[in-house]
Amino acid sequence: MAGHFEPLPGGGAAVALDEVEISILRSLAVQLLELIGPGDAQGPEAADPLARLFAEGPSEPPADPALARLFPDAYGEPGGEQDREQRAHAAEFRRYTENDLRERKREDALGMVRSLDSLSVAGDSGAVLRLPPEGCRQWLGALNDLRLTIGTRLEITDEDDSDLLFRLPDEDPRRPMVMAYLWLGGLQETLVEALMS
């Protein structure tokens, strides 16, 4: 089980993590939360679910490329030029969906942090993280968001780019991010496999 998820009887998945892996995952999830930002619901909307449902979000895409990758336009080609009509449709769609999407991404990352915080690490042996089905869904979302963010920072635009990462020299300053990107991909892949078995 070390380093990869395995299915649990009755649903869910488990993975053995050492203290360093727990620390890295928690740090990455907290950084993702900081990137996504705090929730927007304040004042009357915070207490009223109907007001939250109809609260309008931003209409412009984020300026940060990583956030733009996490919250892409719904119309037009990613990174491509949009005509006036596509921009208007994308702005309208974003206005009514981005707040919910941000909230879900926050909940996924918070779910990851909370599950890691609940672990009791026993010496050098680490701990076994057991996730129920809902926890698996949150982890899949958070792992995907972390990979998208790191991939954007590494300027990976397609699978061919990720092949180049394997050939980076050890002294390349991107090497730690590359290792995290590849490791998160392995975790994500084994979690999907565990849930499908």
Side-chain angles (χ1 to χ4, degrees):
M1 180 186 307
H4 65 275
F5 280 94
E6 293 184 4
L8 287 174
V15 64
L17 298 169
D18 65 31
E19 194 171 350
V20 172
E21 292 169 327
I22 294 167
S23 176
I24 291 169
L25 284 167
R26 188 181 191 290
S27 175
L28 290 171
V30 167
Q31 290 176 55
L32 180 62
L33 284 166
E34 290 170 356
L35 178 67
I36 293 169
D40 293 328
Q42 298 171 357
E45 295 91 18
D48 183 357
L50 189 60
R52 277 199 318 268
L53 180 65
F54 291 104
E56 291 187 12
S59 59
E60 293 296 319
D64 183 313
L67 282 173
R69 184 69 179 101
L70 291 175
F71 306 104
D73 275 333
Y75 293 87
E77 292 296 317
E81 290 294 316
Q82 295 174 319
D83 62 30
R84 198 174 83 215
E85 185 178 352
Q86 287 175 325
R87 275 194 305 278
H89 289 311
E92 187 75 5
F93 187 82
R94 181 178 298 281
R95 182 178 312 131
Y96 293 109
T97 61
E98 187 170 314
N99 285 344
D100 289 339
L101 186 56
R102 277 183 186 268
E103 184 60 29
R104 186 181 56 89
K105 290 180 181 299
R106 265 193 295 280
E107 285 302 314
D108 289 348
L110 277 171
M112 179 182 271
V113 170
R114 289 177 182 138
S115 63
L116 292 168
D117 286 349
S118 71
L119 291 176
S120 298
V121 179
D124 293 337
S125 63
V128 175
L129 174 68
R130 290 176 177 80
L131 295 172
E134 176 59 19
C136 290
R137 190 207 58 76
Q138 287 183 321
W139 268 69
L140 278 174
L143 287 169
N144 187 61
D145 290 343
L146 286 169
R147 289 195 76 233
L148 287 173
T149 301
I150 293 171
T152 302
R153 297 291 190 237
L154 291 170
E155 298 179 350
I156 296 172
T157 56
D158 60 34
E159 283 302 314
D160 293 337
D161 292 342
S162 61
D163 290 341
L164 298 173
L165 301 178
F166 287 108
R167 295 190 289 273
L168 283 179
D170 289 341
E171 61 275 0
D172 192 300
R174 298 171 293 171
R175 188 78 172 166
M177 274 202 322
V178 168
M179 298 309 293
Y181 177 80
L182 297 172
W183 177 53
L184 293 168
L187 285 174
Q188 185 178 22
E189 184 178 337
T190 62
L191 181 52
V192 169
E193 289 170 359
L195 295 174
M196 291 176 64
S197 61

